Every structure is written in structure tokens, then in C-alpha cells.
């Protein structure tokens, strides 16, 4: 057990790991749990989120997720705004942290654009090309996709919205068929999306999902 912990610390330093998945899949909670577990092993961690994570990115996030824009925004405009936000995030936050040997845990990334804007009709190959331009060499070594059926995820996201008084954002308000396509694209990413992609079931308690994620982190070679 002790050997495994030392091994994890050595192999994970300076790595960029993305937590992604459909709305309500539990990414936020799982990033917090993973960050605590890694810090408890003496591993320095930086947590961030996409879109957002910088002052400029937060302004772009506001435009993107404002409910009234839902019908007005062309999908190519969506793709480019998500890319603009992450270009800033990479240069201000992610690349410097990785260079400093920290582990970066990021809530969503280019994999989300593949899934959501892909579900809205954009070509996934073109999205990956644009992503390469936006982020250069700073591509995640590991993308963890937390998987959950679309209706279960939306149900959870809806309950969270009611609990904290937040309104549904533009993406959450889209029809269930859209969210089913989003899930299908997430599940199709291994082999198609650069870097390693691991699908992790988001079903069960937060502790159960956390256990699965730590198992993946200990198992994979980055
Ligand atoms: P969040 O609330 O999980 O941060 O995500 C915000 C919403 O934006 C969520 O519904 C997914 C969506 N989204 C996209 O449509 N494309 C993207 O590239 C990203 C990062 C998020």
C-alpha cells in the first residue's frame, strides 16, 4: 500500500487530468475528493474549471451560459468562445502549474466541446484540430469521463439547481435527446480523442465513485 502511494506521487507530478462527463455526473464533487486524497499523499494540486478559471474566461463563461443566448448563438460561435476561454486558462493557469510540477485537475475541457457542440452538429475532428490550436502542447495526459444516463444526470443537476437557487444554464435547458447524444459522444471518445480517456461509472455514492477514480489513477501509466 505504502509502495503504491510513493509510486502515485512520482508518476502523477506535473500531469494534467481532466474530469468530464454529462451534466449532473458529479465532476465537481469528485475533483474535490481527488484533490483531498492527492494532497493527503503530499502531492501539490491545482483545481480549475473550463469555461472560466480566469477573469477573462469567467466573462466568456457568462456569455456562453446565459440562458437567453440559447437560440441566438451559432454552434461555431459556441465552439470558438469555449476555445478562447481555454486558451486563456491554459496560458494563465494550467501550463505554469504543470511546469511547476503540480497536478492540475480541470473540470471539463476540449472533450466537452466534442460532446456538447458535437451533439449540436459540429464535426468532432474539426473540434480537436481547433483545440490543438487553442492549447498547443498543453493537452491532458488523462481524461476521466464520469458516465451516467442522461435522464439521471439531468435529474441530479435539476435537484442541485433547486437546492442552491441557481437557474438552469443554456446547456442544461436543452432537450433530453440532445443530452443522450452528448453521452454517446463521451462514450465514443476513447481511441478518437488524443491522450488517454478512461470511462468511469458515475453511478452510486460519491465514495464509491471516488474509489473508482483512485483505482484508475493508481493503475494508469501517464
Ligand atoms: P459546468 O456547469 O459543468 O461547468 O458546464 C457548463 C455547461 O457548458 C455544461 O452544460 C456543459 C457546457 N459546455 C459545452 O457545451 N461545451 C464546452 O466546451 C464546455 C467546457 C462546457
Amino acid at each position: 500500500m505504502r509502495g503504491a502511494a510513493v509510486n502515485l506521487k512520482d508518476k502523477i507530478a506535473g500531469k494534467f487530468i481532466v474530469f468530464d462527463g454529462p451534466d449532473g455526473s458529479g465532476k465537481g464533487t469528485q475533483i474535490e475528493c481527488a484533490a483531498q486524497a492527492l494532497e493527503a499523499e503530499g502531492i501539490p494540486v491545482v483545481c480549475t474549471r473550463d469555461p472560466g478559471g480566469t477573469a477573462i474566461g469567467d466573462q466568456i463563461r457568462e456569455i456562453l451560459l446565459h440562458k437567453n443566448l440559447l437560440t441566438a448563438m451559432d454552434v461555431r460561435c459556441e465552439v470558438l468562445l469555449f476555445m478562447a476561454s481555454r486558451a486563456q486558462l491554459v496560458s494563465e493557469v494550467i501550463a505554469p502549474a504543470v511546469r511547476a510540477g503540480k497536478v492540475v485537475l480541470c473540470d471539463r475541457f476540449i472533450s466537452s466541446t466534442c460532446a456538447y457542440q458535437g451533439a449540436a452538429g459540429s464535426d468532432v475532428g474539426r473540434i480537436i484540430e481547433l483545440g490543438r490550436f487553442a492549447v498547443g502542447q498543453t493537452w491532458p495526459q488523462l481524461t476521466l469521463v464520469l458516465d451516467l444516463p442522461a435522464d439521471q444526470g439531468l435529474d441530479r443537476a435539476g435537484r442541485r439547481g433547486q437546492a442552491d437557487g441557481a437557474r438552469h444554464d443554456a446547456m442544461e435547458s436543452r432537450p433530453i435527446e440532445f443530452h443522450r447524444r452528448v453521452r454517446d459522444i463521451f462514450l465514443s471518445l476513447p481511441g478518437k480523442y488524443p491522450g488517454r480517456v478512461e470511462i468511469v461509472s458515475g453511478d452510486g455514492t460519491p465514495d464509491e465513485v471516488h474509489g473508482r477514480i483512485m483505482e484508475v489513477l493508481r493503475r494508469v501509466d501517464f
Side-chain angles (χ1 to χ4, degrees):
M1 197 61 204
R2 204 174 154 72
V6 171
N7 192 21
L8 177 64
K9 185 173 180 176
D10 286 346
K11 74 175 181 179
I12 211 170
K15 296 297 188 291
F16 171 24
I17 301 170
V18 168
F19 286 57
D20 215 333
D23 291 273
S25 57
K27 300 171 286 88
T29 307
Q30 291 306 326
I31 285 189
E32 274 176 35
C33 295
Q36 278 173 18
L38 295 176
E39 278 163 357
E41 295 195 21
I43 301 166
V45 177
V46 169
C47 296
T48 189
R49 73 168 178 178
D50 172 21
T54 65
I56 291 170
D58 283 340
Q59 284 179 279
I60 297 174
R61 182 183 175 93
E62 265 301 297
I63 298 173
L64 275 165
L65 301 183
H66 197 286
K67 198 171 176 178
N68 296 340
L69 292 175
L70 176 58
T71 50
M73 196 181 289
D74 183 89
V75 65
R76 283 167 299 189
C77 180
E78 276 179 25
V79 168
L80 292 168
L81 285 176
F82 279 115
M83 292 300 176
S85 172
R86 66 180 58 107
Q88 191 66 26
L89 180 64
V90 160
S91 80
E92 253 188 59
V93 177
I94 300 176
V98 163
R99 275 199 300 274
K102 296 178 183 165
V103 180
V104 175
L105 305 183
C106 186
D107 189 334
R108 299 196 183 278
F109 204 58
I110 294 162
S111 36
S112 269
T113 314
C114 293
Y116 284 84
Q117 282 60 52
S122 260
D123 180 73
V124 171
R126 300 283 303 275
I127 292 171
I128 292 171
E129 269 173 40
L130 278 170
R132 291 224 182 260
F133 171 73
V135 309
Q137 299 302 311
T138 312
W139 200 278
Q141 281 82 19
L142 175 65
T143 300
L144 292 162
V145 172
L146 298 190
D147 177 49
L148 208 62
D151 41 358
Q152 243 177 287
L154 285 183
D155 199 41
R156 274 196 199 170
R159 280 202 303 272
R160 185 187 60 206
Q162 277 165 11
D164 63 15
R167 57 175 166 68
H168 278 241
D169 67 35
M171 303 300 160
E172 285 174 359
S173 311
R174 291 185 184 189
I176 186 76
E177 296 72 36
F178 173 82
H179 289 280
R180 291 199 179 112
R181 285 201 298 279
V182 167
R183 183 195 187 199
D184 288 346
I185 297 177
F186 271 129
L187 292 178
S188 77
L189 290 182
K192 177 192 295 181
Y193 184 79
R196 187 172 188 132
V197 181
E198 291 274 334
I199 310 286
V200 177
S201 168
D203 199 17
T205 65
D207 276 354
E208 286 167 342
V209 180
H210 173 62
R212 288 176 206 135
I213 289 171
M214 293 309 292
E215 184 278 320
V216 172
L217 295 183
R218 292 185 198 287
R219 172 169 48 82
V220 301
D221 288 326
F222 289 97

